[in-house]
Amino acid sequence: MGKHEAATGPGRVQQSGAAGLLGALAGAALAAHRGPRAAALGAVAGAAGLAAVDAVARARQRPGEIPALWSRIIASGAVAAPLGWAADRLTGAGPVPVATAAGAAAGALGLRPQKVLLGPVAGAAIGLGLARPGLAERGRRIPGSVAAAAAVVGFRMASALLFRDPQVSLLAERVRAEDVPFVVPLASQTRYVGTGYVRSLAQVLGGTYTPDVADIGIVASLDELAGPSFDPAGVDPLVREFYEHTTRFALDIVPEWRLWVRPGYLLYRTLVARPLGQASVPMSQREAQHGVRSRIDTVTGLPDGETVRGWIRSFADTDQPIYVGIYTTYRHEGRGYVSVGFPLPQASFTATLVPSARPDAGNGQGLVLDSRSDLDQSGHFLTYIDPQTAELTTMAVRGFAERLDVYVDDGELRAEHAFWVFGFAFLVLHYRMHRKSPRT
């Protein structure tokens, strides 16, 4: 992955100082029910203890890795303790409700549906165990700080035993773009991406911006994707035409959401996607019937001679963005890949997909693009881009997957775009692509 660096010098001192402060807060919260003196001693012990944990974990941390799981579990318990203390003081709810809420919050942060369900169950079980007669000291109930910390630590330990496959992992820390070719390292310079992103990108890169380019594709040539699993020569001509001349086609989308994900997605779209101007998929077929505007903006005249292609899909009536994606191809070890970068503020979310042939599609084969494979290049990657040095820190998001299946059915070009999160299918976008009417 390239040359990685671990935190050293002032950076490590700052991290240890933050750990000590967090430990002091946790120690004070855990001992506060015993009085001010105990709280002060608890703060000292907590600061020393968590600073030592952090120092040991970082000393054993390899370059490019995140701290060990055991140290992250202890730190999460330290975060929970003062929050549990505050909840107990403000509500007087007692250990069972506090532990249940702490477990639920920890489960929600885990994102995986199994963890979301496990969190409140584990928290409630731990809270009930703490509330059992004989465990509370001399009739005094267990403080909320202890209940919250125990619930979070207990949940995370159970989660680590039950869900062993990491869903997010650090791949590279402060590396050059060429060290991670599967990443599209283009970020948004503002907090809103929107349909004008490629225009602002041209100013950053110093290239020539051309909006709504006629007769251009999201790839220059489908031949760039040739490899062991895909021979472009066998592709149906209509599929090839779509990829090489995408702007000749209009798109109709019919979204098919799983019921379980609708409430969460509605909240995400309201709080994140729309304010961000990125990744705002239609919620229903009725909403999609407003129509989709599809265009490709480009940036040319760059020193490397490459053309940046930004495929922008927006609602036809409002021009509100659905997706703003930068489409690229590259080759690695004799195989072509498609990498699509979705710019975010000072970051990028990249989908790198492996091409393969889809048999029995029209007059030739269709095309499948899949993020799931045994190859080390494919997958989804969240990358922070340092605005000063342009160095990249990249996380692999293994809990997310997608498959795009493009084919011809009875002379009509169609596509099915399926998405999974943590192994659960949650969305399929059904596309119908047809040639636009000639411009007048």
Side-chain angles (χ1 to χ4, degrees):
M1 295 295 179
K3 187 177 181 180
H4 308 294
E5 298 177 7
T8 57
R12 176 162 290 183
V13 172
Q14 292 175 356
Q15 291 164 348
S16 298
L21 178 60
L22 176 60
L25 290 173
L30 291 170
H33 65 288
R34 296 178 178 272
R37 178 181 174 84
L41 292 174
V44 173
L50 199 58
V53 166
D54 181 74
V56 171
R58 294 192 180 279
R60 301 180 62 182
Q61 180 183 352
R62 295 178 181 178
E65 288 185 344
I66 57 177
L69 176 62
W70 61 268
S71 68
R72 303 200 310 271
I73 291 177
I74 293 173
S76 65
V79 171
L83 296 178
W85 174 85
D88 198 13
R89 288 294 297 268
L90 292 174
T91 66
V96 176
V98 170
T100 303
L109 290 174
L111 297 179
R112 194 189 306 201
Q114 301 97 315
K115 290 187 177 182
V116 173
L117 294 175
L118 175 64
V121 173
I126 291 170
L128 288 169
L130 292 174
R132 287 178 56 194
L135 290 183
E137 56 173 342
R138 296 183 181 180
R140 295 175 61 185
R141 66 187 180 95
I142 300 298
S145 57
V146 174
V152 170
V153 170
F155 160 75
R156 294 207 59 184
M157 291 177 65
S159 178
L161 292 173
L162 293 173
F163 310 117
R164 294 179 177 274
D165 53 322
Q167 300 299 297
V168 178
S169 59
L170 181 65
L171 284 184
E173 185 177 19
R174 294 195 291 274
V175 299
R176 301 167 300 173
E178 52 266 35
D179 294 325
V180 282
F182 43 80
V183 167
V184 180
L186 297 174
S188 174
Q189 303 303 310
T190 63
R191 297 179 65 181
Y192 186 78
V193 181
T195 57
Y197 170 75
V198 180
R199 181 194 300 273
S200 61
L201 179 64
Q203 297 174 348
V204 173
L205 299 179
T208 301
Y209 167 69
T210 306
D212 200 3
V213 178
D215 202 22
I216 190 174
I218 51 178
V219 301
S221 173
L222 209 61
D223 295 333
E224 297 172 356
L225 303 184
S229 61
F230 179 64
D231 179 8
V235 170
D236 186 287
L238 197 55
V239 174
R240 177 184 282 271
E241 183 183 3
F242 173 74
Y243 274 89
E244 296 178 353
H245 304 278
T246 310
T247 54
R248 293 179 183 176
F249 295 83
L251 282 73
D252 294 325
I253 305 177
V254 177
E256 181 185 349
W257 290 91
R258 294 295 177 94
L259 290 177
W260 67 268
V261 81
R262 283 175 173 266
Y265 176 72
L266 182 61
L267 184 64
Y268 156 81
R269 189 174 69 165
T270 301
L271 299 179
V272 179
R274 285 181 171 172
L276 184 61
Q278 177 66 289
S280 182
V281 180
M283 191 68 186
S284 64
Q285 184 174 353
R286 180 180 179 182
E287 186 179 3
Q289 285 174 345
H290 290 282
V292 176
R293 182 189 178 196
S294 170
R295 75 175 199 261
I296 295 179
D297 295 356
T298 64
V299 181
T300 55
L302 300 174
D304 58 7
E306 295 291 327
T307 296
V308 174
R309 302 164 189 258
W311 191 13
I312 300 167
R313 282 153 286 179
S314 58
F315 291 103
D317 54 349
T318 63
D319 203 35
Q320 290 296 311
I322 297 174
Y323 278 119
V324 180
I326 305 299
Y327 280 70
T328 68
T329 61
Y330 77 99
R331 299 191 62 77
H332 179 76
E333 296 182 350
R335 188 188 301 267
Y337 295 85
V338 174
S339 282
V340 187
F342 299 96
L344 303 170
Q346 293 303 323
S348 174
F349 184 75
T350 302
T352 296
L353 312 174
V354 181
S356 61
R358 183 189 193 275
D360 303 324
N363 296 317
Q365 295 177 333
L367 172 62
V368 173
L369 295 172
D370 204 329
S371 67
R372 299 167 301 179
S373 78
D374 295 329
L375 303 169
D376 64 355
Q377 301 288 296
S378 62
H380 292 85
F381 309 97
L382 181 62
T383 300
Y384 168 73
I385 305 167
D386 190 299
Q388 304 300 323
T389 65
E391 292 176 324
L392 310 182
T393 297
T394 297
M395 306 283 289
V397 186
R398 306 186 191 281
F400 195 84
E402 64 180 292
R403 173 188 167 104
L404 177 62
D405 196 341
V406 185
Y407 59 98
V408 178
D409 184 28
D410 290 334
E412 183 180 52
L413 186 61
R414 304 184 64 176
E416 313 293 333
H417 200 169
F419 299 86
W420 293 263
V421 62
F422 309 122
F424 291 90
F426 70 92
L427 169 65
V428 179
L429 298 175
H430 303 275
Y431 286 94
R432 293 178 182 268
M433 293 86 87
H434 53 87
R435 286 191 179 88
K436 297 176 181 177
S437 302
R439 292 188 179 183
T440 57

